[in-house]
Amino acid sequence: MSLAKPAMRGLLGKRLRFHLPIAFTLSLVAAAAFKFTVTEPRKQAYADFYKQYDAVKEFNAMKEAGIFESVRPSGE
């Protein structure tokens, strides 16, 4: 009694026909999940921050704090 020979001919194609659609679907699901759970909230957080952000006010606050070497505070 001998063991049956493994079916090697066409094995790659057979396995790819099974696994490729699954891999493609899972990658689309993962990309969509990342988009809606990470990137969209991040974009909204940046939009909310920059609605209230005043660059000139921040610059003047840093200037008065003496952070910049090229710009002197108003008191000096």
Side-chain angles (χ1 to χ4, degrees), residues 6-21:
M8 299 300 281
R9 187 176 302 270
L11 184 62
L12 177 63
K14 185 175 160 184
R15 301 282 291 183
L16 281 177
R17 275 192 300 278
F18 178 76
H19 287 101
L20 202 58

Side-chain angles (χ1 to χ4, degrees), residues 1 3 6 8 10-11 20 22 25 29 31-32 36 41 44 55 62 67 73:
M1 183 166 157
L3 295 174
M8 299 300 281
L11 184 62
L20 202 58
I22 293 171
T25 304
V29 168
F36 291 114
Q44 187 62 43
M62 287 187 281
I67 292 176

Side-chain angles (χ1 to χ4, degrees), residues 13-76:
K14 185 175 160 184
R15 301 282 291 183
L16 281 177
R17 275 192 300 278
F18 178 76
H19 287 101
L20 202 58
I22 293 171
F24 186 73
T25 304
L26 287 176
S27 67
L28 287 178
V29 168
F34 186 80
K35 176 179 172 40
F36 291 114
T37 59
V38 176
T39 59
E40 291 299 323
R42 184 179 293 171
K43 283 176 16 181
Q44 187 62 43
Y46 274 103
D48 293 342
F49 175 77
Y50 281 108
K51 281 180 190 173
Q52 306 294 328
Y53 185 69
D54 185 12
V56 174
K57 180 180 167 188
E58 290 293 323
F59 170 74
N60 288 332
M62 287 187 281
K63 182 174 81 169
E64 295 304 321
I67 292 176
F68 303 118
E69 293 179 7
S70 61
V71 180
R72 292 184 184 248
S74 300
E76 289 183 23

